[in-house]
Amino acid sequence: MDNASTLSPSWSVQLREQIQARPLIALGLLLALAAVLLLLLQSLTLLATGEITAGMRYGLLGGAAGFAATALGALPALFLRAVPQRVEDAMLGFAAGMMLAASAFSLLLPGLEAAEGITGNGFLAAAVVVTGMTLGVLLMLGLDQFTPHEHDKTGPCGPGHESCARVWLFVFAIALHNLPEGMAIGVSFSQGDMTVGLPLTTAIALQDIPEGLAVALAMCAAGFRPSVAVLVAIASGLLEPLGALLGVGLASGMAIAYPVGLGLAAGAMLFVVSHEVIPETHRNGHQTHATLGLMVGFALMMTLDTALG
């Protein structure tokens, strides 16, 4: 019996045990995935029928820009075999800082402003945005709980090497958080408001460059050929335009869906930064470099939001 066939039953048993242990999270994830599928179908229907608004066009272009930035960042790995670990951790910290600032200045604050304009009450506006944040966190929590994190360890890393599983988990985490980033871009452009969408898209595209390079270099360090590493890194960015489609679909319905969508994207991004990106930057003992990178990224995004907003 080959290795893949021995892994499959163990994973299915593990998944069943996780669902039995966390039925409410499993139900929430199922509902969230159903909603995501409906939003995607709605956006694809609008594209198929030619009912493309300016907001949808900008959102799709923004998602494509994020994907292109990821690909651009991955290309140097064809020539670079490695960068110092502290530099890589600083780059990821920089990306985390931009994501934190984007969540605050380009998602939560515009969401609160839009919600207050709809409800006419600051407390209700906060409740609307927090509801969206909760949905985003639940979505990412469910995906984190029920997505398999074990992988075949007999590849380029050699048998028994745990580094392969860790590298693939890191790649998965980066790819997964491209989904809420794309959703944020789609939602921010859904009303055709360039003052919200442009700074957010600029920030996300900028922080996608070091992320693409980090993914490619991590795979090169694990023993994968540079060409394969670059292709995987580029593929990790495909969820960004897909997320943009979801974001446009999310905010193209009722008016209240716009601030809820901004809150959802912010909640998902905050979860990923805290749960995946920051722990990865601190894993190698370069906390100071990662933290300084985070501060620089946060300051740059805050400046971009002020200058372009």
Side-chain angles (χ1 to χ4, degrees):
M1 185 177 293
D2 59 16
N3 195 35
S5 61
T6 59
L7 283 175
S8 201
S10 63
W11 174 77
S12 62
V13 171
Q14 182 182 11
L15 178 61
R16 187 162 56 250
E17 291 175 350
Q18 289 177 339
I19 292 175
Q20 291 172 350
R22 303 174 180 86
L24 292 180
I25 294 180
L27 178 60
L29 176 61
L30 183 62
L31 293 175
L33 291 177
V36 164
L37 181 59
L38 288 174
L39 292 172
L40 182 59
L41 289 175
Q42 176 178 316
S43 296
L44 292 175
T45 300
L46 291 174
L47 287 174
T49 57
E51 299 178 16
I52 304 177
T53 64
M56 176 177 283
R57 188 179 301 110
Y58 292 144
L60 294 176
L61 288 174
F67 170 71
T70 302
L72 179 64
L75 290 177
L78 291 172
F79 315 102
L80 295 173
R81 290 299 174 265
V83 297
Q85 187 62 53
R86 66 180 61 185
V87 174
E88 184 176 332
D89 289 339
M91 289 192 305
L92 285 178
F94 174 83
M98 297 200 76
M99 290 173 67
L100 287 175
S103 298
F105 298 108
S106 296
L107 294 175
L108 293 178
L109 290 181
L112 288 169
E113 182 180 355
E116 188 168 1
I118 295 170
T119 63
N121 182 281
F123 181 79
L124 289 177
V128 168
V129 175
V130 169
T131 298
M133 290 181 64
T134 303
L135 292 174
V137 170
L138 288 175
L139 175 62
M140 300 308 291
L141 180 62
L143 289 173
D144 180 73
Q145 289 287 339
F146 299 112
T147 303
H149 287 172
E150 293 296 329
H151 301 275
D152 186 358
K153 303 183 183 68
T154 61
C157 302
H161 280 237
E162 293 298 324
S163 59
C164 266
R166 184 180 60 76
V167 167
W168 277 113
L169 178 56
F170 173 65
V171 171
F172 171 76
I174 294 295
L176 186 61
H177 94 261
N178 282 331
L179 183 64
E181 284 183 0
M183 290 176 66
I185 291 173
V187 172
S188 66
F189 277 123
S190 62
Q191 306 298 309
D193 188 354
M194 296 291 289
T195 62
V196 176
L198 185 58
L200 177 65
T201 302
T202 302
I204 288 177
L206 284 174
Q207 60 91 27
D208 278 336
I209 294 175
E211 285 180 1
L213 179 60
V215 168
L217 290 178
M219 296 198 67
C220 286
F224 290 87
R225 293 195 307 274
S227 58
V228 174
V230 168
L231 287 175
V232 171
I234 292 174
S236 72
L238 286 174
L239 284 180
E240 205 135 318
L242 178 63
L245 268 178
L246 295 175
V248 170
L250 176 64
S252 62
M254 298 182 298
I256 198 67
Y258 177 61
V260 171
L262 290 174
L264 188 151
M269 288 176 67
L270 289 172
F271 179 90
V272 170
V273 168
S274 177
H275 194 67
E276 301 287 354
V277 182
I278 290 179
E280 179 66 24
T281 64
H282 287 205
R283 187 180 57 81
N284 300 295
H286 302 135
Q287 294 90 331
T288 300
H289 294 82
T291 301
L292 290 175
L294 184 148
M295 298 301 295
V296 171
F298 191 97
L300 177 60
M301 175 56 206
M302 183 176 64
T303 303
L304 286 172
D305 188 83
T306 302
L308 299 178

